[in-house]
Each structure stands twice: as structure tokens, then as C-alpha cells.
Amino acid sequence: MKRTFHPGEFSWEGVQTAGYKATGERDGAGFRGVTRHVISGANGEPSQFQLRYFEVEPGGYTRLERHEHIHSVTVIRGKGYAVVGDTVHPIENFDHIYVGPMTLHQFVNTGDTPFGFLCIVDAQRDRAQPATPDEVARLERNAPTAGKTRV
Amino acid sequence: MKRTFHPGEFSWEGVQTAGYKATGERDGAGFRGVTRHVISGANGEPSQFQLRYFEVEPGGYTRLERHEHIHSVTVIRGKGYAVVGDTVHPIENFDHIYVGPMTLHQFVNTGDTPFGFLCIVDAQRDRAQPATPDEVARLERNAPTAGKTRV
């Protein structure tokens, strides 16, 4: 089956644009201006993974969070940075980011165009946990991440 | 961890360029001019999937084959077509192809530049089976795929 890509809308045929969080949290709950597009794995495909596309508008960011499952992220649009643990990685086309288990991470758009990336996860996975205030404070004291997180 | 993308070589830092088949078959064994690059899942990452990038040179093609595991394919370079079952799909940036269980499939470069795509698979998966001569003959009698397969 083909899901045709539409460059104008940067969308895929038959793939709905959804809110960032499947669990329903609203914009402002630690993230801003993010949409989620599940390209494969949400329609009964017999696979152990899901492929999603996330798009972050200018000024937007994903939630600073962690979980046991890993992320395999490939940037396909725009530019930004990824906070991963105690490090900040500037990223753009087609840089890849691996986020290991229970590692705090956040994706931030630094451009004036949409910032988008493919993100693969295990189909069976644990729920994400937002960073605690203590963890945010610790990242503020860590030179590479100071001023980089968004809450 | 970041794997920086190098646009000039179209490669990722720390990702080796390997032969198409992990099982060692050589160019000419039903495929031509294909390289494989395992971006994530080959270094002990605790995930149920692997992310690979395949690149097909002009005139090249992957092997016409099938297996129980599925493919989730996203084109990121050049253009070509995918034979999937009895159908042929022209594909280019960032079209997505889903290949279901035991469905014959083949990717063919139709351009004069490299044709490349990301391909996600389950980490635990069965071995691919090449199309039989009878199946190739059947695809030749099927109007949409006639003249489209390469062996």
C-alpha cells in the first residue's frame, strides 16, 4: 500500500493530523505547537513498531520527558535541537537521534519554518513521564543544557 | 546519541555502508547496485525494530522477494517504483510504502540519480524468500506488473 506524500501540506494520504499526545494533554502542558501523524503501525499492521511523524511549529517544542522505550528519530524538515540527557544536539536534515531508556529528551524548533522528524517506537511501550521540577533545575545547572529546556 | 548526516556522501556518522544482503548474496543474485546502512537497532539498542537505509544506484533494483515480516518504507532520495503484490507504485520523496506479510515486493530505481529509502523491520524476523520462477511468470502475465520486475 502506498501513502502518497503531499509536499504542499507536508502530509501523507490517509494519515490524520492529530494532537501531540495520544493521552490528550493540551498545548501548554509542557509542550507547544506539536502535531503527530502515525504513518504506520496504527491500523493493525502485524509489526512490533510504529512510525510517527511529529511536526513542531516555529517557537514550538515537545515535552521534556522520559520513558523505558527508546526513540529512533530522523529529521526530515527544518531545524532545531534535541536535548538528550545532559547534552544538546543541533539537528537538521537527515540527522539521526537515538534516545535510550529513561533518558530525558526534548525537541525544540530553532528555525522560522516547521521542524519535523520521523520517530519510531516499539508498539508495546510504557507511558512517558514528564521531567520533575528537580530534574529541570538540574539541567539548568548543567552548562550544555542551561537555558535550553522549555517547560 | 546523534548520528550526524553527511549530505555530500549521503551517509550517517558511524553507520557503515554494507552489502545489500546480511546473508552475503552477491550483486547479480536477483538484485543490482544496492547498499544497506543500519542506522539503529544493530548495536544492542533495546528495541523491537531496526531502521535501515537502502540506496539503489541508477539502473539498480532490490530483490523480488517475500517474508512474513512487514516493511515500512519511506523514500528520502531520488525516485523509482515499488512492485508490491500485483501493483506498481511510482514513488519519490517522502512517499511511504507498506509491504504486508508474504507479499512479493521489489524496489527499482527509475532515475539517473541514487534512489534511497528508509526501511523499518522487526528486529526478530524471518528470512526473505526470493520469488519463484512461476511467480515471476505470473507477474509478467499481470498487466500492471508486466515488464516491471527485474530478476
Side-chain angles (χ1 to χ4, degrees), chain B residues 88-101:
Chain B
V88 175
H89 302 286
I91 45 177
E92 60 188 333
N93 264 359
F94 293 108
D95 289 330
H96 184 269
I97 290 285
Y98 169 75
V99 179

Side-chain angles (χ1 to χ4, degrees), chain A residues 2-3 5 12 90 95-96, chain B residues 2-3 5 90 94-96:
Chain A
K2 176 182 178 183
R3 291 198 184 280
F5 178 71
W12 287 265
D95 289 330
H96 184 268
Chain B
K2 176 181 177 183
R3 290 199 183 280
F5 178 71
F94 293 108
D95 289 330
H96 184 269

